[in-house]
Amino acid sequence: MNCIRYHPVFNTFVSCGSDGEAISWDPVLKKRIWKKDFGIPLISVDFNQEGNKLAVAGSYNYDNDE
């Protein structure tokens, strides 16, 4: 996991990681709300102030280097 951001309005959060997936979670019900595979390692996610947009940043991050 590379990043976790809490939604500014709802009691949820989004996590992202090197597997290329951004996943939205409900911490109260302990369930996944949605999952989106972007196909590249994700390094950061963030909501705008109103919570109606999600920015996702993907980049090479050296996870698969040996």
Side-chain angles (χ1 to χ4, degrees):
M1 186 178 322
N2 292 335
C3 184
I4 296 176
R5 289 293 183 262
Y6 287 92
H7 193 278
V9 179
F10 304 113
N11 187 27
T12 61
F13 63 92
V14 172
S15 63
C16 72
S18 299
D19 59 357
E21 294 180 344
I23 305 172
S24 179
W25 300 95
D26 183 325
V28 175
L29 298 176
K30 299 180 182 175
K31 289 187 172 188
R32 183 177 66 204
I33 300 170
W34 55 261
K35 175 173 80 169
K36 170 76 175 160
D37 187 352
F38 288 88
I40 60 172
L42 300 180
I43 56 172
S44 185
V45 292
D46 205 357
F47 291 98
N48 68 340
Q49 195 171 17
E50 293 80 25
N52 61 356
K53 294 181 183 173
L54 178 69
V56 179
S59 177
Y60 181 76
N61 64 356
Y62 302 99
D63 273 2
N64 294 326
D65 286 355
E66 295 181 18

